[in-house]
Amino acid sequence: MVGLALRIGRYPPALTLGPDATLLEVLVGMAEKRVRHCVLVSGSGAPVGMVSARDLADFLGGRRYRSVVVGGFGGDVYRALSETKAVELSYQPAWVSESAPIEDVLAKFMELKVGVLLVLGSDGRVKGLISERHVADLFADYEMYVKVKEVMSTPLVALDPHETVAKALETMSSYRIRRLPLVSRGSLSGIVTIKDLLGFMGSEGSLSRLRRGEWEQVYNTPLQSIAKSPVITVNANEDVGRALGVMRRHGIGCVVVVEDSGLPVGILTERDIVTKLPEVKGVELFFDAARNALYTSRVSF
């Protein structure tokens, strides 16, 4: 059996904070490190919980924004971030042992359909984490005989580039997504990710404005001015293996899917690849321990 000694994942996690950390500390940490997860650990290194970028975006512009920030703090975003403990927004993440075989890790991702797993040592301390990107990177760049349109997320949820940060936060929270292509009159002009949004909200300039009570100026910022991530497209009939190769070469977690006419119709993410491929009829997964590579192919139709 092949264990996690292969170091699939990030060791240690990029962002860990203590149980008394505030959401402001989480936001600043995520913005600086451009990560989507903050692991909360006790003094002994045991996991207390995890705060995800999606949960933080919900606090800044979704359901929790309306109930907590507006309802409890009168819309004072900075005070809400400063006075709310991160544990109040945290959840108990799924985990695997550092001695677990890769096959068990893959099975847990596919069974639970989660975006990240904690890696714990035999002493119960947090050693690292494995995200869907780490798993997707195990796939070899070769013909899978599965088309992108078979596993992509559709219909495409997109916004106009002139829409605001407030609208993007609300939309991501409502649809539970992390990327928003910017589309105007059917033409793709960019993409805003949850990392872009949290990077903007957690920047020194935005926090200074929030501290002064200038919430509207921050939330009304147009998306086209904060879109930092490259937007790459693939054809809906492209093979998933080649589409994954494009994502890996560009260092991105998604590609926008277009028809032959160039019209954007969906999005393909790392999670789509990890969780949906095993559900496609006739597809099987194979892990080659010698090459430390994951292969998938359609063996029957």
Side-chain angles (χ1 to χ4, degrees):
M1 303 293 280
V2 180
L4 295 183
L6 288 170
R7 283 295 185 257
I8 303 302
R10 184 189 289 269
Y11 299 83
L15 180 60
T16 58
L17 292 172
D20 293 327
T22 65
L23 284 182
L24 180 60
E25 292 176 275
V26 174
L27 174 60
V28 170
M30 286 187 176
E32 290 179 348
K33 296 180 181 295
R34 286 192 63 84
V35 295
R36 294 187 290 104
H37 300 94
C38 174
V39 185
L40 303 177
V41 297
S42 67
S44 64
V48 174
M50 180 179 286
V51 179
S52 72
R54 183 179 286 167
D55 291 330
L56 191 52
D58 183 58
F59 186 88
L60 291 170
R63 177 181 56 83
R64 286 192 182 96
Y65 173 78
R66 294 186 292 273
S67 63
V68 179
V69 179
V70 176
F73 291 88
D76 190 333
V77 184
Y78 191 85
R79 190 162 71 90
L81 288 167
S82 302
E83 297 182 14
T84 304
K85 296 295 186 181
V87 291
E88 297 180 37
L89 209 67
S90 68
Y91 65 95
Q92 291 300 317
W95 60 275
V96 293
S97 167
E98 64 178 338
S99 61
I102 295 296
E103 293 88 339
D104 288 358
V105 176
L106 298 176
K108 183 159 284 193
F109 264 107
M110 295 164 190
E111 174 191 355
L112 301 179
K113 299 186 184 302
V114 294
V116 66
L117 294 172
L118 275 187
V119 180
L120 302 185
S122 58
D123 57 0
R125 295 167 62 92
V126 174
K127 295 297 181 72
L129 58 78
I130 305 174
S131 73
E132 62 231 357
R133 171 163 293 190
H134 299 129
V135 174
D137 281 347
L138 290 175
F139 285 85
D141 187 4
Y142 72 107
E143 191 86 14
M144 293 185 185
Y145 304 102
V146 178
K147 294 183 178 180
V148 165
K149 64 184 179 184
E150 295 182 74
V151 295
M152 70 180 183
S153 293
T154 187
L156 182 68
V157 180
L159 289 179
D160 187 278
H162 295 98
E163 276 289 4
T164 64
V165 165
K167 182 64 174 179
L169 288 168
E170 179 186 15
T171 303
M172 284 188 179
S173 298
S174 297
Y175 287 91
R176 294 187 61 79
I177 56 178
R178 302 199 308 264
R179 293 112 173 166
L180 279 169
L182 303 180
V183 178
S184 179
R185 298 180 180 179
S187 178
L188 181 66
S189 64
I191 190 168
V192 169
T193 70
I194 201 165
K195 289 182 181 179
D196 293 332
L197 285 171
L198 296 185
F200 170 75
M201 294 295 291
S203 67
E204 184 177 344
S206 293
L207 291 177
S208 294
R209 285 186 166 188
L210 293 175
R211 192 183 301 114
R212 295 194 299 266
E214 300 172 0
W215 315 318
E216 290 188 359
Q217 291 92 324
V218 174
Y219 276 81
N220 286 335
T221 301
L223 295 178
Q224 62 183 0
S225 68
I226 70 165
K228 305 297 183 183
S229 302
V231 56
I232 307 298
T233 63
V234 297
N235 190 277
N237 291 308
E238 182 63 272
D239 186 84
V240 169
R242 286 196 287 270
L244 177 58
V246 170
M247 291 162 62
R248 290 174 65 181
R249 286 189 290 277
H250 287 276
I252 55 178
C254 75
V255 286
V256 177
V257 183
V258 297
E259 293 181 331
D260 292 337
S261 63
L263 182 70
V265 293
I267 193 168
L268 179 71
T269 70
E270 294 157 337
R271 184 170 298 186
D272 290 328
I273 293 169
V274 173
T275 62
K276 294 180 182 179
L277 267 178
E279 299 175 353
V280 177
K281 182 179 179 181
V283 169
E284 293 186 8
L285 302 177
F286 313 89
F287 183 75
D288 185 337
R291 297 185 58 188
N292 187 23
L294 178 66
Y295 297 93
T296 183
S297 183
R298 173 169 265 151
V299 297
S300 63
F301 291 84

